[in-house]
Structure formats: C-alpha cells, structure tokens
Amino acid sequence: MLPRKKHLRVLCLLLATAFGVSSLVSAPSQAITGYTPPVTVQGITPKLVTTSISSSGTTFQLVVPGTIKPFSVVGLTWVGTLPGDTTFKARVRESGKWSAWNELHFSDDHGVDIDSLEGEDSRSGTDPLMTAIADSIEVIMTSPSGATPHDLKLELIGSPETTQDRALLTNVRSLSLPYTGPPAVTPTGVIVARPNIVSRAQWGANETWRDPVPRMGQKIVAGFVHHTASTNDYTAEQAPAQMRALYAYYTKSLKYADMAYNFLVDQYGTVYEGRNACTYGDLNFCDGPTLPVIGAHTAGLNPNTFAISAIGNYDTKAPANPAALVESIASLMAWKMAPYGLNPKATASMVSSDTSGNSKFGNGVTAKTTVISGHRDVGKTVCPGRYLYPYLGQIRDRATEILAPKISDVSVEPKLVNQDATGNVNVKATIPANANWSVEVVNEADGQIVNSTTGIQVTTGQIKFAWNKLDQTGESLPAGRYLVSIKATVGQSVLPSSSTPITLAMPPKLSSKVEIKRTSPIKSKVSWLVESATVSPVTKNEFRISADGKKSWSKWTVSKKTQFTTSKWRRGQTYYVEFRSSNSIGVSNVVQKKIVVPRYAPPKPEAVTNVTMVASGVNKVTASWTQAPSEYESLGFFTRVSVNGGKWTPWVKTPGLETFRVIETKPGDRVRIQIYEKNFSGDSPSAIGRFTAS
C-alpha cells in the first residue's frame, strides 16, 4: 500500500474502498481514455481474377479495390458451403516488408449449426490469421473444381487492445526463459537474469497522464512488498485492465505524478512495469526498470528504495498461487538489488522524511529494517496483508539463493563415451568472479580422481576443459562410470558443486563363433556370443537372413536373446545369417555366418528324476516326475505299473507331455511305477517309484 503524494496518507483501506466502487471497477476503460481505440472491421468484397488453370485446379487472385486501413487480423468469409479441397493463402506487408505465404484454414466443423436460429444468417469462414500491424495484403485461392465461394468477403480487423493484450499473453506469460534484456551483475560477479517484465507500453499506459520528468534517486538500499488492496477476482487476461485502472486512479484521481509502485505482480506471477523512470518524449534509449526512480509507496522512505505491489487484497484473501507470487517477487527483488550488492536478509538504514505520522519512523529518524521488508514493517498499516506477509521469509530466502555466487550453465558432452572413438569430453561452465575452481574426473567405483584441471576466475565467465578420456599420466582408462565434478570457492565460501555422470565403454563385440542346433525334425536354434561392459549392457540384438546366397536379405529382426529359432529350415539347405548387437554406446561389429542345416540327431534323453507318488483321492494315487532338461523335442513319456509285486502292465504313453499319471489302488496295495522318455534318437533310462496305499 502507499501514501498519497503531498499528504502521504495510508491508502490500504482507501484503495480497498475505492476499488469497491463499481463505476471504476466495472468500466475501467471509461477512465482510460485514449488507450483502446475502437476496433476497425473492414469487410471488403474482393474481385476474383483467374491467374492460372491447370489439372490441379483454377487459381484466383483476390484483388482488393481501393485503400485499406492498418489491420492485424485477416479472415475470409462466405455464404454456404465450399469444397474442402479449396485452399486460401495470404501474405501481408508489415513494416514495409512482405511476410511469407500463410494458409488460411477452414472447416465445416467450425462455427454455428447451420440449421439453428443463430445459423440462419451466419457465414462460413476461415480461421483468423493474426499478423503484426499490416497495411497491405495479397490473397490467392486454388479451387480444384473451379467453384468459387458465394458472397466472398475479405475481413481485415485492427484491434490495438487485442494486439497489446495478446502480445502480453503470448510474448511474456508463455515465455519459459527470462527476457533477453541485460542481466544484472553483483559486485562479486554473480549474473542475475532479468525477469520477464510487461512494459508500460504493453499494458497500455497513456504516457501523457504522468509527469514527463520522473524524480530519480541515487541508489537502491531496500525493497518493500505491498499489495494494491484491489479485487482478487480477475483473470490473467484481465490483469492489464487492472493495471490501467490503477494507473488511472493514481494519475487522474489521486493526481500522482505516475504509478505509485515501481513494479506490480498479478496473482498469476506476471510482473508489470510500474512507475516510469524515463523522460517523456526523450528519443534516447531508456531502460526504465533498471533505474532508481523515486516512487510514492512507503511514507517517508521513498528515496533510494523501490516497491513491488501484488495486485489484489491479501488481507481478505490468501494468494491463489503463492508459489508463482513468491518466485516472481523474489526474482524481481534479486535482479533489482544485484547491482548494489544488497543482502536480502541484512539490515538497511535510511533517514525518514515522514511528517504525516503514518510511518513508524518520524521525520529525521533513522529507520532500520530488513533489506526486503513488508510495508507494515515501516508503516502503520496491515499492508501487504495478513495472508501475503507470512511469505516474506520465503521471498528473502529465494532472493538470497538467486544472488549467491554459483556455478551455472554446466554442460558436459557427450555423456555416453565410446572408448575407441576420437574426440574429447567437453566440459563447460560459468564460474563467478574471484573464484578458485577445479574440474575433476572421478572413477565412480573407487572414488579416485583420474584427471583434473584447476584455475582462477578473475571475472565471471565461461571455463572450458576438454578431457581426452585418459588418466593424468596419459594412460587409457577402463570401461566404467565416471563423474565430472566442477567445484569452486569464493573467499571462504564453498559453492555448491556440480557432478555429471558419464559412461565410458565400447559398443558390444560379437564373437565369430555361431552355433546351430536342430531341436526337432523341423526346428533349428541359432545362437551367437556377444561381449559388453557391465556399465553398458546390450540393449538390442538383431539378425537377418539370406536364403539365396546373399543376393537379398531379410529385414533386421530384433531378438530378446542372442539366439533365434526357425521352423522353416530343412536338412542340407544353406543360409547366410548376419548378427549385430547394440548398447548405449553404439552398434557392434557385424558377424556373418554360412550355415548348412545339419541332420537332426539329438542325444537320447536322460532319465526323469524326482519320482513321487501321493494319495490324490479315494483309492487313487498320483505319480509325478521331473523331466530332465533338454533343448531337444520330446516324443513323450511312457509308464507301466506293478501292484503287490505282480506283473507289469503294458507301457502307456501319457497324454501330450504330461509328467504325471493317476493310478487306481486299494488300501494296503504296494505300487511300483516305471517311467522313461522317448525322443527322435531313442529312449532314456527308466526310473522307478514306489508307494504303499493307505
């Protein structure tokens, strides 16, 4: 909140009351005469001139008769429907230069329902094309059928309000990086990025309303956090209107020289330039936000301070997005204070000039307060409100973090390093002034430093180190994970270090040894060997096959393992197979193998094991066993049974490849079962299990 010019009265309650007046809030444009010119809509009937006829259709040029007024929106409208393959293209002249051709899209699924009441008089049209302020246009239409739109109109619309507000929304709120203007630099060399600041021109300040020559301070010693005590019920798009309303109130109602605050922040975190620090009409470049202009915000303490005011009343309502508000205020505080070397948590001293009694420090009294303070810390007010004031600690912490010397802009490339490839691992970072720095390459496995370099940074700037993948003695290093650590100290302060992991390895290496096994009369399994470092395991295996003597190849096929099985190969056929594998470093060598499919001659199966029999029901025993491991196709299991020492029953094959058999018994029966497995080459040794039924 702020004192009134001359009388320096506290305005927290006054602003809240004034902004409750509906005549100002509901119609701010009434108070801001001259900012929003009327919207200009030019509906022009163009003349269609045929420029070419070809197999692809007829091309027309839309000739605009007479002169047109400047515009920023382009559209084409017509009555009825139009074939969907019709195309429109336009280009405009902006600042004396023609733009590229832009297609004007249209679709029948846009607009109102044709059969509705609203649709009776509606027109079809293209999507609007937004341009910069333009003064001329060329349009061409291509119609494959030769059909032309009925009652075609070229719509040219000029809207200064839309241009400014849309520029604000598009060019400021949507930016993820700070404004490209100059950063601030602390006396110790810390570079502080400039926040995105919506300029007065962007939010629509009428510069004729302010005093043409601002009053300037000599430096900045403190920053104050305020709130405007106006409504919190506004959208991001309405925030510029809030700015214009505040500006009108200060200059037209309160007769201030300008906006009271140096900066304002809406509840969504967008920063706005407040009081202008530039002389009106001066043609020399002036970057107002960087200058120590004297505002009208904190009774008796305006010279050599600045104020950031949050748009809204935070004594009646908590911030809707406190994280955004804290970040924006803290970033702006840090950037503004950086050139003066201020510590946000230190104590600032200044002599008060207040004679109104609204300050806690009377005229001539030295005020001592934290460098970042709330209005209530020095003034007799609740400003910046009970719900915003508690966030000052976070604001100070974040601003202190931004202003602290740090290692920044770290780049380590590549992070996946091929031991056999040429080239270095390039390390870059920005180091603050007066820092002693080092770059260390550390073996992650044992923590040993294998290579390093050091330096002293005189001024803030970039350092570079090209690591050649060797140790300090010039010897090659084994495959493994390494950490590139960047460290720095400024005086007695150790800055937070930066560590970037890299992997040093080679692509997989394939052995020339390839095996083929016939696992059944129709199936063959092909396998190969691959070597890869543990730190960079194989991520993909591939193979491809030629069945015509390498005249043609199949596509590369991915295999989960270093093997594949085929059921199409027959004995005596010749194939060529190529193999390759990949890891994070790269692709292996390619191994090619000529394969003549051998005959199927598996070894006989081994005997089954773990023969067990258990009661499984009334007068029933279930015998089960474990098949011996084998890659070869089984022809099944055969069993026979003997009860109470009697003769063996005939051999019986179990269904499918089942490894169990149910046997009927009576209590007291002594049961034996004999089992063997058969494959293409013969029978396994048999195994016997015994059981006495209860």
Side-chain angles (χ1 to χ4, degrees), residues 7-34:
H7 301 293
L8 302 176
R9 293 184 304 172
V10 176
L11 291 176
C12 280
L13 181 58
L14 181 59
L15 275 176
T17 303
F19 274 86
V21 179
S22 61
S23 60
L24 182 61
V25 174
S26 61
S29 60
Q30 302 300 316
I32 309 176
T33 58

PDB file of all heavy atoms in Angstrom, residues 7-34:
ATOM      1  N   HIS A   7       0.299  14.583   0.951  1.00  0.00           N
ATOM      2  CA  HIS A   7      -0.238  14.334   2.285  1.00  0.00           C
ATOM      3  C   HIS A   7       0.267  13.021   2.877  1.00  0.00           C
ATOM      4  O   HIS A   7       0.192  12.825   4.085  1.00  0.00           O
ATOM      5  CB  HIS A   7      -1.769  14.332   2.232  1.00  0.00           C
ATOM      6  CG  HIS A   7      -2.332  15.630   1.726  1.00  0.00           C
ATOM      7  ND1 HIS A   7      -2.224  16.801   2.428  1.00  0.00           N
ATOM      8  CD2 HIS A   7      -3.000  15.922   0.583  1.00  0.00           C
ATOM      9  CE1 HIS A   7      -2.804  17.793   1.745  1.00  0.00           C
ATOM     10  NE2 HIS A   7      -3.285  17.267   0.617  1.00  0.00           N
ATOM     11  N   LEU A   8       0.721  12.092   2.042  1.00  0.00           N
ATOM     12  CA  LEU A   8       1.309  10.832   2.493  1.00  0.00           C
ATOM     13  C   LEU A   8       0.381  10.046   3.415  1.00  0.00           C
ATOM     14  O   LEU A   8       0.792   9.471   4.407  1.00  0.00           O
ATOM     15  CB  LEU A   8       2.654  11.083   3.212  1.00  0.00           C
ATOM     16  CG  LEU A   8       3.721  11.814   2.398  1.00  0.00           C
ATOM     17  CD1 LEU A   8       4.938  12.063   3.255  1.00  0.00           C
ATOM     18  CD2 LEU A   8       4.095  10.989   1.183  1.00  0.00           C
ATOM     19  N   ARG A   9      -0.881   9.994   3.073  1.00  0.00           N
ATOM     20  CA  ARG A   9      -1.827   9.239   3.886  1.00  0.00           C
ATOM     21  C   ARG A   9      -1.756   7.757   3.562  1.00  0.00           C
ATOM     22  O   ARG A   9      -1.512   7.373   2.434  1.00  0.00           O
ATOM     23  CB  ARG A   9      -3.255   9.750   3.654  1.00  0.00           C
ATOM     24  CG  ARG A   9      -3.470  11.170   4.172  1.00  0.00           C
ATOM     25  CD  ARG A   9      -4.908  11.580   4.013  1.00  0.00           C
ATOM     26  NE  ARG A   9      -5.332  11.443   2.628  1.00  0.00           N
ATOM     27  CZ  ARG A   9      -6.593  11.594   2.246  1.00  0.00           C
ATOM     28  NH1 ARG A   9      -7.536  11.844   3.128  1.00  0.00           N
ATOM     29  NH2 ARG A   9      -6.924  11.467   0.973  1.00  0.00           N
ATOM     30  N   VAL A  10      -2.041   6.919   4.549  1.00  0.00           N
ATOM     31  CA  VAL A  10      -2.053   5.471   4.320  1.00  0.00           C
ATOM     32  C   VAL A  10      -3.264   5.114   3.486  1.00  0.00           C
ATOM     33  O   VAL A  10      -4.375   5.566   3.770  1.00  0.00           O
ATOM     34  CB  VAL A  10      -2.094   4.705   5.657  1.00  0.00           C
ATOM     35  CG1 VAL A  10      -2.194   3.206   5.408  1.00  0.00           C
ATOM     36  CG2 VAL A  10      -0.855   5.028   6.484  1.00  0.00           C
ATOM     37  N   LEU A  11      -3.028   4.298   2.450  1.00  0.00           N
ATOM     38  CA  LEU A  11      -4.101   4.043   1.496  1.00  0.00           C
ATOM     39  C   LEU A  11      -4.583   2.602   1.463  1.00  0.00           C
ATOM     40  O   LEU A  11      -5.342   2.235   0.593  1.00  0.00           O
ATOM     41  CB  LEU A  11      -3.631   4.429   0.087  1.00  0.00           C
ATOM     42  CG  LEU A  11      -3.440   5.937  -0.117  1.00  0.00           C
ATOM     43  CD1 LEU A  11      -2.897   6.176  -1.501  1.00  0.00           C
ATOM     44  CD2 LEU A  11      -4.733   6.666   0.068  1.00  0.00           C
ATOM     45  N   CYS A  12      -4.119   1.737   2.328  1.00  0.00           N
ATOM     46  CA  CYS A  12      -4.597   0.349   2.261  1.00  0.00           C
ATOM     47  C   CYS A  12      -6.113   0.295   2.314  1.00  0.00           C
ATOM     48  O   CYS A  12      -6.759  -0.322   1.475  1.00  0.00           O
ATOM     49  CB  CYS A  12      -3.999  -0.477   3.403  1.00  0.00           C
ATOM     50  SG  CYS A  12      -2.317  -1.017   3.075  1.00  0.00           S
ATOM     51  N   LEU A  13      -6.709   0.949   3.339  1.00  0.00           N
ATOM     52  CA  LEU A  13      -8.165   0.953   3.439  1.00  0.00           C
ATOM     53  C   LEU A  13      -8.783   1.778   2.338  1.00  0.00           C
ATOM     54  O   LEU A  13      -9.819   1.418   1.762  1.00  0.00           O
ATOM     55  CB  LEU A  13      -8.587   1.491   4.812  1.00  0.00           C
ATOM     56  CG  LEU A  13     -10.099   1.545   5.091  1.00  0.00           C
ATOM     57  CD1 LEU A  13     -10.688   0.137   4.953  1.00  0.00           C
ATOM     58  CD2 LEU A  13     -10.376   2.129   6.457  1.00  0.00           C
ATOM     59  N   LEU A  14      -8.150   2.908   1.984  1.00  0.00           N
ATOM     60  CA  LEU A  14      -8.686   3.790   0.951  1.00  0.00           C
ATOM     61  C   LEU A  14      -8.767   3.093  -0.393  1.00  0.00           C
ATOM     62  O   LEU A  14      -9.767   3.184  -1.104  1.00  0.00           O
ATOM     63  CB  LEU A  14      -7.812   5.043   0.846  1.00  0.00           C
ATOM     64  CG  LEU A  14      -8.238   6.092  -0.188  1.00  0.00           C
ATOM     65  CD1 LEU A  14      -9.647   6.578   0.111  1.00  0.00           C
ATOM     66  CD2 LEU A  14      -7.269   7.257  -0.188  1.00  0.00           C
ATOM     67  N   LEU A  15      -7.688   2.359  -0.741  1.00  0.00           N
ATOM     68  CA  LEU A  15      -7.697   1.657  -2.021  1.00  0.00           C
ATOM     69  C   LEU A  15      -8.757   0.571  -2.036  1.00  0.00           C
ATOM     70  O   LEU A  15      -9.450   0.374  -3.021  1.00  0.00           O
ATOM     71  CB  LEU A  15      -6.326   1.034  -2.298  1.00  0.00           C
ATOM     72  CG  LEU A  15      -5.310   1.961  -2.955  1.00  0.00           C
ATOM     73  CD1 LEU A  15      -3.987   1.231  -3.072  1.00  0.00           C
ATOM     74  CD2 LEU A  15      -5.788   2.418  -4.307  1.00  0.00           C
ATOM     75  N   ALA A  16      -8.875  -0.153  -0.934  1.00  0.00           N
ATOM     76  CA  ALA A  16      -9.880  -1.213  -0.880  1.00  0.00           C
ATOM     77  C   ALA A  16     -11.270  -0.637  -1.064  1.00  0.00           C
ATOM     78  O   ALA A  16     -12.120  -1.207  -1.753  1.00  0.00           O
ATOM     79  CB  ALA A  16      -9.791  -1.954   0.459  1.00  0.00           C
ATOM     80  N   THR A  17     -11.518   0.544  -0.445  1.00  0.00           N
ATOM     81  CA  THR A  17     -12.818   1.180  -0.584  1.00  0.00           C
ATOM     82  C   THR A  17     -13.031   1.695  -1.988  1.00  0.00           C
ATOM     83  O   THR A  17     -14.076   1.481  -2.611  1.00  0.00           O
ATOM     84  CB  THR A  17     -12.940   2.345   0.421  1.00  0.00           C
ATOM     85  OG1 THR A  17     -12.726   1.841   1.733  1.00  0.00           O
ATOM     86  CG2 THR A  17     -14.302   2.993   0.336  1.00  0.00           C
ATOM     87  N   ALA A  18     -11.983   2.363  -2.515  1.00  0.00           N
ATOM     88  CA  ALA A  18     -12.122   2.960  -3.844  1.00  0.00           C
ATOM     89  C   ALA A  18     -12.360   1.910  -4.898  1.00  0.00           C
ATOM     90  O   ALA A  18     -13.158   2.105  -5.816  1.00  0.00           O
ATOM     91  CB  ALA A  18     -10.873   3.777  -4.177  1.00  0.00           C
ATOM     92  N   PHE A  19     -11.661   0.767  -4.779  1.00  0.00           N
ATOM     93  CA  PHE A  19     -11.829  -0.257  -5.799  1.00  0.00           C
ATOM     94  C   PHE A  19     -13.084  -1.074  -5.605  1.00  0.00           C
ATOM     95  O   PHE A  19     -13.411  -1.922  -6.406  1.00  0.00           O
ATOM     96  CB  PHE A  19     -10.589  -1.160  -5.867  1.00  0.00           C
ATOM     97  CG  PHE A  19      -9.550  -0.587  -6.764  1.00  0.00           C
ATOM     98  CD1 PHE A  19      -8.642   0.327  -6.273  1.00  0.00           C
ATOM     99  CD2 PHE A  19      -9.515  -0.902  -8.108  1.00  0.00           C
ATOM    100  CE1 PHE A  19      -7.705   0.878  -7.102  1.00  0.00           C
ATOM    101  CE2 PHE A  19      -8.573  -0.347  -8.939  1.00  0.00           C
ATOM    102  CZ  PHE A  19      -7.658   0.548  -8.444  1.00  0.00           C
ATOM    103  N   GLY A  20     -13.819  -0.792  -4.517  1.00  0.00           N
ATOM    104  CA  GLY A  20     -15.132  -1.397  -4.379  1.00  0.00           C
ATOM    105  C   GLY A  20     -16.186  -0.607  -5.126  1.00  0.00           C
ATOM    106  O   GLY A  20     -17.314  -1.063  -5.307  1.00  0.00           O
ATOM    107  N   VAL A  21     -15.839   0.591  -5.585  1.00  0.00           N
ATOM    108  CA  VAL A  21     -16.791   1.417  -6.323  1.00  0.00           C
ATOM    109  C   VAL A  21     -16.990   0.824  -7.705  1.00  0.00           C
ATOM    110  O   VAL A  21     -16.059   0.722  -8.487  1.00  0.00           O
ATOM    111  CB  VAL A  21     -16.286   2.873  -6.417  1.00  0.00           C
ATOM    112  CG1 VAL A  21     -17.271   3.718  -7.212  1.00  0.00           C
ATOM    113  CG2 VAL A  21     -16.080   3.445  -5.025  1.00  0.00           C
ATOM    114  N   SER A  22     -18.203   0.424  -8.013  1.00  0.00           N
ATOM    115  CA  SER A  22     -18.461  -0.313  -9.251  1.00  0.00           C
ATOM    116  C   SER A  22     -18.204   0.518 -10.482  1.00  0.00           C
ATOM    117  O   SER A  22     -17.851  -0.005 -11.530  1.00  0.00           O
ATOM    118  CB  SER A  22     -19.905  -0.817  -9.253  1.00  0.00           C
ATOM    119  OG  SER A  22     -20.801   0.283  -9.200  1.00  0.00           O
ATOM    120  N   SER A  23     -18.340   1.809 -10.387  1.00  0.00           N
ATOM    121  CA  SER A  23     -18.174   2.626 -11.594  1.00  0.00           C
ATOM    122  C   SER A  23     -16.755   2.579 -12.103  1.00  0.00           C
ATOM    123  O   SER A  23     -16.515   2.719 -13.309  1.00  0.00           O
ATOM    124  CB  SER A  23     -18.554   4.083 -11.299  1.00  0.00           C
ATOM    125  OG  SER A  23     -17.718   4.612 -10.272  1.00  0.00           O
ATOM    126  N   LEU A  24     -15.763   2.364 -11.211  1.00  0.00           N
ATOM    127  CA  LEU A  24     -14.377   2.301 -11.655  1.00  0.00           C
ATOM    128  C   LEU A  24     -13.990   0.885 -12.050  1.00  0.00           C
ATOM    129  O   LEU A  24     -13.364   0.662 -13.078  1.00  0.00           O
ATOM    130  CB  LEU A  24     -13.445   2.810 -10.544  1.00  0.00           C
ATOM    131  CG  LEU A  24     -11.950   2.842 -10.882  1.00  0.00           C
ATOM    132  CD1 LEU A  24     -11.710   3.770 -12.061  1.00  0.00           C
ATOM    133  CD2 LEU A  24     -11.135   3.292  -9.692  1.00  0.00           C
ATOM    134  N   VAL A  25     -14.432  -0.077 -11.219  1.00  0.00           N
ATOM    135  CA  VAL A  25     -14.032  -1.457 -11.485  1.00  0.00           C
ATOM    136  C   VAL A  25     -14.739  -2.025 -12.701  1.00  0.00           C
ATOM    137  O   VAL A  25     -14.143  -2.690 -13.537  1.00  0.00           O
ATOM    138  CB  VAL A  25     -14.307  -2.332 -10.242  1.00  0.00           C
ATOM    139  CG1 VAL A  25     -14.027  -3.791 -10.551  1.00  0.00           C
ATOM    140  CG2 VAL A  25     -13.456  -1.872  -9.070  1.00  0.00           C
ATOM    141  N   SER A  26     -16.013  -1.764 -12.832  1.00  0.00           N
ATOM    142  CA  SER A  26     -16.772  -2.400 -13.895  1.00  0.00           C
ATOM    143  C   SER A  26     -16.497  -1.793 -15.250  1.00  0.00           C
ATOM    144  O   SER A  26     -16.720  -2.414 -16.272  1.00  0.00           O
ATOM    145  CB  SER A  26     -18.273  -2.295 -13.588  1.00  0.00           C
ATOM    146  OG  SER A  26     -18.654  -0.927 -13.529  1.00  0.00           O
ATOM    147  N   ALA A  27     -16.023  -0.563 -15.261  1.00  0.00           N
ATOM    148  CA  ALA A  27     -15.780   0.076 -16.554  1.00  0.00           C
ATOM    149  C   ALA A  27     -14.466   0.843 -16.537  1.00  0.00           C
ATOM    150  O   ALA A  27     -14.429   2.052 -16.675  1.00  0.00           O
ATOM    151  CB  ALA A  27     -16.932   1.017 -16.907  1.00  0.00           C
ATOM    152  N   PRO A  28     -13.306   0.111 -16.336  1.00  0.00           N
ATOM    153  CA  PRO A  28     -12.031   0.817 -16.281  1.00  0.00           C
ATOM    154  C   PRO A  28     -11.721   1.545 -17.569  1.00  0.00           C
ATOM    155  O   PRO A  28     -11.025   2.543 -17.565  1.00  0.00           O
ATOM    156  CB  PRO A  28     -11.020  -0.305 -16.003  1.00  0.00           C
ATOM    157  CG  PRO A  28     -11.705  -1.548 -16.484  1.00  0.00           C
ATOM    158  CD  PRO A  28     -13.145  -1.329 -16.224  1.00  0.00           C
ATOM    159  N   SER A  29     -12.234   1.042 -18.690  1.00  0.00           N
ATOM    160  CA  SER A  29     -11.940   1.700 -19.962  1.00  0.00           C
ATOM    161  C   SER A  29     -12.506   3.104 -20.012  1.00  0.00           C
ATOM    162  O   SER A  29     -12.017   3.948 -20.754  1.00  0.00           O
ATOM    163  CB  SER A  29     -12.509   0.868 -21.120  1.00  0.00           C
ATOM    164  OG  SER A  29     -13.907   0.748 -20.987  1.00  0.00           O
ATOM    165  N   GLN A  30     -13.521   3.359 -19.188  1.00  0.00           N
ATOM    166  CA  GLN A  30     -14.082   4.707 -19.177  1.00  0.00           C
ATOM    167  C   GLN A  30     -13.084   5.696 -18.592  1.00  0.00           C
ATOM    168  O   GLN A  30     -13.109   6.878 -18.914  1.00  0.00           O
ATOM    169  CB  GLN A  30     -15.385   4.715 -18.353  1.00  0.00           C
ATOM    170  CG  GLN A  30     -16.435   3.755 -18.879  1.00  0.00           C
ATOM    171  CD  GLN A  30     -16.834   4.090 -20.307  1.00  0.00           C
ATOM    172  OE1 GLN A  30     -17.042   5.255 -20.629  1.00  0.00           O
ATOM    173  NE2 GLN A  30     -16.916   3.080 -21.146  1.00  0.00           N
ATOM    174  N   ALA A  31     -12.244   5.187 -17.681  1.00  0.00           N
ATOM    175  CA  ALA A  31     -11.287   6.081 -17.046  1.00  0.00           C
ATOM    176  C   ALA A  31      -9.994   6.181 -17.817  1.00  0.00           C
ATOM    177  O   ALA A  31      -9.165   7.006 -17.523  1.00  0.00           O
ATOM    178  CB  ALA A  31     -11.004   5.604 -15.628  1.00  0.00           C
ATOM    179  N   ILE A  32      -9.798   5.305 -18.796  1.00  0.00           N
ATOM    180  CA  ILE A  32      -8.534   5.280 -19.517  1.00  0.00           C
ATOM    181  C   ILE A  32      -8.795   5.738 -20.940  1.00  0.00           C
ATOM    182  O   ILE A  32      -8.742   4.968 -21.893  1.00  0.00           O
ATOM    183  CB  ILE A  32      -7.913   3.863 -19.488  1.00  0.00           C
ATOM    184  CG1 ILE A  32      -7.862   3.363 -18.043  1.00  0.00           C
ATOM    185  CG2 ILE A  32      -6.519   3.859 -20.048  1.00  0.00           C
ATOM    186  CD1 ILE A  32      -7.359   1.964 -17.886  1.00  0.00           C
ATOM    187  N   THR A  33      -9.085   6.954 -21.089  1.00  0.00           N
ATOM    188  CA  THR A  33      -9.395   7.484 -22.410  1.00  0.00           C
ATOM    189  C   THR A  33      -8.146   7.494 -23.258  1.00  0.00           C
ATOM    190  O   THR A  33      -7.064   7.867 -22.802  1.00  0.00           O
ATOM    191  CB  THR A  33      -9.949   8.904 -22.287  1.00  0.00           C
ATOM    192  OG1 THR A  33      -8.983   9.724 -21.613  1.00  0.00           O
ATOM    193  CG2 THR A  33     -11.248   8.914 -21.510  1.00  0.00           C
ATOM    194  N   GLY A  34      -8.313   7.106 -24.484  1.00  0.00           N
ATOM    195  CA  GLY A  34      -7.200   7.163 -25.431  1.00  0.00           C
ATOM    196  C   GLY A  34      -6.397   5.893 -25.539  1.00  0.00           C
ATOM    197  O   GLY A  34      -5.635   5.734 -26.477  1.00  0.00           O
TER     198      GLY A  34
END
